[in-house]
Structure formats: structure tokens, C-alpha cells
Amino acid sequence: MDHSYSATEKCSQVLIAWNRKFYRPPLEEVAKALHLIDRLDLVPLATGTDATESGGETYTRGEHQNNENSATLNADKVVHYQACRDHPQMKLDRFCDTCNVPTCVVCAFDVHRSHELFSISDIPARIKSEAQMITAHLDQAVLQYKDAERGYEEKKKLQKKCRDHALGCIEEWAADFEKQFRERKRELIDIVRLKHESDKREERRVDELMNDVSRIKNDMESFRGGYSDWLEIKDMRKRTSQISLEIENMKEGKIDLLCERVPNNGEFCKLRQSTFIGGVMTGKNQIICIYDERLHQGNIALVSCDNNDSMKVHWRYNIVNNNIGIPVKLSSMNAFSDGLQLPILAIGDTVCIIKPTYDGSLYDSVDSVKYLSIREVLKDSWITNVTARTMQGRNNQYDRFAIIAHNSLVIRIYDLSGNPLNVVNVSSARISGVTCLAYHQDTISYITHEGDATLISTADMSSQCQFLHNTVSGMKPIKIIHTGSYWLILYISATDDEGKWKLVEYSTTGKFKKVCHEGSYEGNHDMPLNLTRWDGRYFVVLEDQTIIMALC
């Protein structure tokens, strides 16, 4: 029996062909179409004889035209419809899309009245429409596939390009890293080599030092035996210096003093042979005299006595010092701090500040001595002049002092604790040298061997210096002080032929005013030694401890 394919088989063949040629269609659409056709339960198209044998009623249907690739239904062909189970006299010529079952006209207006219905004869058209829709979906899917394929190729090319670029960057970075690594390796090798060479040099240097140490030890062993001889030579030089100093004192005619026993803080001692250095006033009727006893006693003596009677001694204090030959210098004026007069003297490179105790009318003993080692004084040098600072008014603090050292070109200023405060250049006095100093408020005055005094302001170092020219012919200045209103300079004869001394007054600007006092002396034993003052009165201290009050 020759049968044509059913609609289900044709649709299946079409879908298979499309699936092989193009792309798989959406599965939901295909399943829906196949399920719709299967529920129709249509019999194959056949002739009338075949229809009779099938046992069903035969109904003739008109000719149907299919689309472009569809099969054509012949006019002599008939379509057999099944009868409705509920209404056998009615054929199933309707289809309920809501219930997805075939139905007759009666059921359509009864059970399926509000459902979506369509005629079974419209199924081929619907299949065609859905096939066109599936084709459109397939075409769109093909386009999307081609676009995806092109995108994939482009991405593949871009990926290859990125991979090539990344490989190039990695190779470049690797080459640069290798270059840097090699350079750093060379640097490290050079550092290690230099360190190795340095270590070798250090080892050689250590060996040399060890050899030097061994040589020094051998030298020390060789010179150890001569140490005792050196000590003997040193002691001989010391004794020679003492003898030379005694001879010099004999040439200058300095006298030795012999005083009776005097109290010293409750104890008694005897003033033996000594050299008088000078004296400084500490009260109306009190002067502190300084004696150099280092040659015989190994100390420097401070003796307080009455300025009207030098034999009337109040007390004595010893400063232990064995450095024979180092000069002792006394400040003509006292420092003043905390209501106390503080005498100042210099021994070598050390400044001694004497702090006495005061009982209300008299300085009755020495409380303490402050020793200030001046580090700015060079080795093998000593202080040649020292002076305390004076101020206008009796109750002001005289809390500074000035010094100049041997072969020094500057005057240095310190506070009473030894802290350096200022430096005054005196390079112009290099040749002649400075013989004495005075320090009042912010003015430093110094006298050279030529006899002229120079005034320098410590507050304004750039200001021009002033000069107090020597107006006393045939005489040389030895001491200068400031009275609070004017300068006083002590002159002595320049030659030994005549023994005269004068006390000359100068204004603060250096102008000569008058000769205040004058006197004479017969020899070195009574010549003027020091100039000091107390409360508007001025005293000239002679070598024989005579104290003359000047009338100024």
C-alpha cells in the first residue's frame, strides 16, 4: 500500500534537515509543534477505498495549497475525521488550544465555550507559520553564530596580540632585569674586593702598630734606667731656679719681712721671710696684703692688717703653692658680690677669688678660696695682669674680671664662675706689651711700656679707641684705676737717678686734668708698688708696706 508521509513525519524531516544544515532551533518551539500535531491523531491521506477499510466515516475535503517547500494535497484525496465520543454524529473538526484536545462543534459551544478554538483545517497554515517563525529564529541564530564566530576570531586575534605583547614585555623586562642583575653583581663584587683590600690594609696597619708597640716597649725598657737620672736633673733645675730667683730679688733690693706671731682662725703661726706683692683695701681701716713665701714656706700668705698701722695684724691665711718662679699678680680693686668685698689674685694660669667673712665692721677671716683654672692661657704661659670690674655706685655687683697672659694679643673677660664673656683685641700693643689693666663698667684701659693708656669700650668693639697720652716727662706709668668719675694713673721715675712718683688725674675722655699727689723714694725698698681705693679715698702702697693716702 502506497502511503504518503504524515504531517508529523514531514515536520520531523524538515526539522532534521534544518538542524543538520544550519543550527539547532529552539527546543521549546519544536516540542510545542510536535505535541500539537500528535494530539490531532490524524490518519494518513488515502483514497476512498483505503478509507473504507479503515472502518471510519469518510469526508471529502477541498484542495489545499502548501507553501514553497510543502507537499501538495490532490483534489481526489479526502480527509477522514474521527467522530466525537460524546456526540458520535459530530466530527472532530475543531481543536481546543486551551485544553490541547480535538473537539466537535457541540463540545466547542459547551465544554470549551470560553476556550481558544480553531479549525483543524487551519493546522497546516499554523504549522507553516510556526515553521517560518522557527526558520526566522534559525536565521537569527545563524547570524548570531556568525557574529559570535567573527567576535571569537577577533578576540582570538586580540588575545594573540596581547599574548605576543605580553611575551615581548616579559622578554624586555627579563633582559633589563638580567642587565641590572649583572651590574649589581659587578658592584657587589667590586665592594667585596675593596673590602677585602681594605681588610688587608687594616691587617697590615695592625701589624705595623703591633711592631710600633713592641718597639716602644723596648724603648721604654731601654730608658727606664735613665728615669732616676732625669728626676735628679729636674730637682737640680728646680734648685737652680730657686737660687736664680733669690739672686734676682737681691739685685732688685726686695726686703724680707719678719713679723711676730699673729692669730689665724684660732691658731698661731709665724710670718717668715717673704716678698711683698701688694695690698688692696677691703674696709675703711683694713687692707689685705699679699706675700710670696713659696721660696721658704711653699705658700702665698694673705695678711689682714690696719692700713694706718701695718704692724696691727687681724688675721693670716695661707694658699699652698710650690711653683716657684711663676709670678703672682694682685688686682688693685676688689670684686663685689652678695655684699662682700672679694680680693682677686692670679698665680700662673689660675685666678684665686678670696671670700672673707664679715662680722659687721671687719673682715675677720677667710671663708673660702675659689680657684679658677683659665683654659685659654697657653702652656708655658702665665697671667701677667688681672683686674676686677668696678661699677658706678657702691652697692652694684662687681661680678667680672679681666686678664691678659704673657705673649697674648687679647684681653679676656670672665664672670666670677670662670665663664668666658668677651675678648678685647690689643694687637697694637704687641711690641710694647701691656704693663697694667683697669676695668670700669664697659670700658677696658691698659697701659703699655711706652706710657700711653688706651681706652676700649667692651659694649661697642667697633668704636674708636681713646688714648690717655703720657704728659709727665721722665716718668713711666705702673698702675691705673677708675675712681667712678675719672682715671688715676700712678707714675714713677723712668730712671734710677731720681726717685719720684706722681698720681695724675685724667678725665673719662682721656684729657689731662691735674697732678693729685706726688712723693719721692730713696731706693727700691720704699718705691710705690700698688694703687688702690676705698670709698672715695685713694692709697699708694709702698714696698715697705707703708700706705699713703693720696689727696685727690
Side-chain angles (χ1 to χ4, degrees):
M1 184 179 296
D2 186 11
H3 295 283
S4 62
Y5 293 101
S6 64
T8 301
E9 294 175 345
K10 289 183 178 181
C11 289
S12 299
Q13 293 177 359
V14 171
L15 292 176
I16 291 171
W18 276 98
N19 187 34
R20 290 177 178 175
K21 183 177 181 181
F22 298 101
Y23 188 76
R24 180 179 296 177
L27 297 179
E28 295 180 359
E29 298 294 338
V30 175
K32 185 178 179 180
L34 294 176
H35 180 69
L36 177 62
I37 295 172
D38 292 338
R39 291 299 303 273
L40 291 177
D41 197 16
L42 299 176
V43 300
L45 296 177
T47 58
T49 305
D50 297 330
T52 303
E53 293 178 356
S54 65
E57 298 182 3
T58 302
Y59 302 93
T60 303
R61 186 179 174 190
E63 192 175 288
H64 294 274
Q65 302 292 335
N66 281 332
N67 289 332
E68 293 177 357
N69 295 323
S70 301
T72 303
L73 297 177
N74 297 324
D76 56 348
K77 305 282 183 154
V78 292
V79 178
H80 300 277
Y81 295 96
Q82 292 183 353
C84 181
R85 294 184 179 86
D86 296 332
H87 309 90
Q89 71 277 10
M90 302 301 293
K91 60 183 178 181
L92 298 174
D93 58 353
R94 298 287 186 273
F95 189 84
C96 178
D97 192 43
T98 302
C99 298
N100 203 16
V101 295
T103 182
C104 64
V105 176
V106 178
C107 291
F109 287 94
D110 184 13
V111 180
H112 306 284
R113 179 172 54 190
S114 59
H115 295 175
E116 184 178 357
L117 301 172
F118 57 86
S119 175
I120 289 180
S121 60
D122 294 335
I123 288 178
R126 292 176 67 91
I127 292 175
K128 178 181 178 183
S129 176
E130 292 187 5
Q132 291 177 350
M133 186 182 300
I134 292 173
T135 303
H137 281 300
L138 291 174
D139 293 339
Q140 185 177 2
V142 170
L143 294 176
Q144 292 177 355
Y145 170 77
K146 291 182 178 180
D147 292 339
E149 188 176 13
R150 284 194 300 271
Y152 171 74
E153 293 295 334
E154 292 177 357
K155 289 182 179 180
K156 188 175 180 181
K157 293 179 180 179
L158 181 60
Q159 184 179 11
K160 183 178 181 303
K161 185 177 180 181
C162 292
R163 183 173 60 254
D164 295 340
H165 178 70
L167 290 175
C169 292
I170 292 173
E171 292 177 355
E172 183 179 357
W173 175 82
D176 185 58
F177 176 78
E178 184 179 2
K179 180 180 178 182
Q180 294 180 2
F181 174 77
R182 290 178 178 176
E183 293 177 355
R184 184 58 179 167
K185 182 179 178 181
R186 285 196 298 270
E187 293 176 359
L188 292 175
I189 292 174
D190 293 339
I191 292 173
V192 172
R193 179 177 53 80
L194 294 176
K195 178 64 176 175
H196 182 65
E197 295 176 355
S198 177
D199 292 341
K200 285 186 176 180
R201 288 195 298 269
E202 290 296 330
E203 290 178 358
R204 289 195 296 271
R205 179 59 179 167
V206 170
D207 293 338
E208 293 175 358
L209 291 176
M210 292 300 294
N211 294 332
D212 293 339
V213 171
S214 300
R215 186 167 56 255
I216 291 172
K217 288 182 178 179
N218 295 331
D219 294 340
M220 289 178 64
E221 291 295 332
S222 62
F223 286 107
R224 193 180 299 275
Y227 180 68
S228 58
D229 296 338
W230 179 81
L231 291 178
E232 293 179 0
I233 294 173
K234 182 179 179 181
D235 186 57
M236 292 177 60
R237 287 180 178 177
K238 183 178 179 180
R239 291 197 299 270
T240 302
S241 177
Q242 293 176 357
I243 295 172
S244 299
L245 185 61
E246 291 181 0
I247 294 173
E248 187 68 23
N249 291 336
M250 294 175 63
K251 288 181 179 179
E252 293 180 359
K254 292 185 178 180
I255 62 173
D256 293 333
L257 302 176
L258 185 63
C259 295
E260 58 185 357
R261 295 163 64 90
V262 295
N264 180 23
N265 294 333
E267 299 179 359
F268 287 86
C269 61
K270 190 174 182 179
L271 182 64
R272 298 181 181 274
Q273 292 179 339
S274 60
T275 301
F276 183 49
I277 302 299
V280 59
M281 296 294 296
T282 56
K284 181 179 179 180
N285 296 313
Q286 186 178 18
I287 186 171
I288 295 180
C289 298
I290 310 298
Y291 298 89
D292 186 1
E293 299 179 348
R294 291 176 295 178
L295 183 61
H296 300 285
Q297 301 294 326
N299 60 263
I300 297 170
L302 281 68
V303 179
S304 172
C305 57
D306 193 323
N307 60 295
N308 296 317
D309 183 6
S310 60
M311 299 303 296
K312 184 179 180 180
V313 177
H314 303 119
W315 51 264
R316 168 191 171 95
Y317 186 87
N318 294 331
I319 298 177
V320 178
N321 189 284
N322 294 316
N323 294 326
I324 301 174
I326 297 178
V328 179
K329 297 296 179 180
L330 175 67
S331 172
S332 298
M333 303 299 297
N334 295 321
F336 185 75
S337 178
D338 298 330
L340 296 175
Q341 296 286 333
L342 307 178
I344 297 179
L345 64 145
I347 307 173
D349 62 350
T350 302
V351 174
C352 303
I353 300 178
I354 315 300
K355 183 181 179 181
T357 57
Y358 189 62
D359 64 357
S361 61
L362 190 73
Y363 290 98
D364 58 354
S365 63
V366 174
D367 180 32
S368 63
V369 178
K370 182 186 290 186
Y371 299 92
L372 304 178
S373 180
I374 308 301
R375 293 177 297 178
E376 288 76 14
V377 177
L378 300 178
K379 186 179 179 180
D380 298 330
S381 182
W382 58 88
I383 298 173
T384 58
N385 282 279
V386 60
T387 180
R389 179 193 188 190
T390 59
M391 297 290 291
Q392 195 73 25
R394 183 175 180 180
N395 296 323
N396 289 332
Q397 293 284 99
Y398 307 166
D399 56 354
R400 298 183 183 182
F401 65 88
I403 66 164
I404 188 168
H406 178 64
N407 290 332
S408 176
L409 304 180
V410 294
I411 298 173
R412 301 183 183 275
I413 301 173
Y414 300 84
D415 60 15
L416 296 183
S417 298
N419 300 314
L421 301 177
N422 203 348
V423 175
V424 180
N425 189 0
V426 291
S427 58
S428 59
R430 180 190 303 178
I431 299 177
S432 57
V434 176
T435 59
C436 61
L437 284 176
Y439 186 13
H440 178 71
Q441 295 195 140
D442 293 327
T443 303
I444 289 282
S445 65
Y446 62 89
I447 297 178
T448 62
H449 286 294
E450 278 76 8
D452 292 334
T454 303
L455 307 180
I456 300 178
S457 173
T458 60
D460 185 10
M461 302 295 292
S462 62
S463 61
Q464 189 174 3
C465 299
Q466 298 179 0
F467 298 94
L468 281 68
H469 296 290
N470 186 2
T471 58
V472 184
S473 60
M475 306 189 79
K476 61 182 181 179
I478 61 171
K479 292 294 179 181
I480 180 172
I481 63 172
H482 196 278
T483 67
S485 301
Y486 50 88
W487 296 97
L488 276 180
I489 299 180
L490 176 62
Y491 290 90
I492 62 173
S493 298
T495 61
D496 296 333
D497 297 337
E498 53 179 351
K500 294 182 179 181
W501 60 268
K502 290 183 180 181
L503 197 59
V504 182
E505 177 182 336
Y506 290 87
S507 67
T508 56
T509 59
K511 183 179 179 181
F512 171 80
K513 295 183 69 175
K514 63 179 180 178
V515 176
C516 297
H517 199 99
E518 57 184 328
S520 61
Y521 55 92
E522 296 180 358
N524 292 333
H525 65 280
D526 61 348
M527 67 182 299
L529 183 64
N530 194 27
L531 175 63
T532 183
R533 73 178 177 93
W534 174 261
D535 196 20
R537 295 183 298 171
Y538 311 101
F539 303 88
V540 178
V541 182
L542 305 183
E543 284 273 8
D544 59 359
Q545 301 182 74
T546 302
I547 301 172
I548 300 176
M549 185 174 69
L551 303 175
C552 293

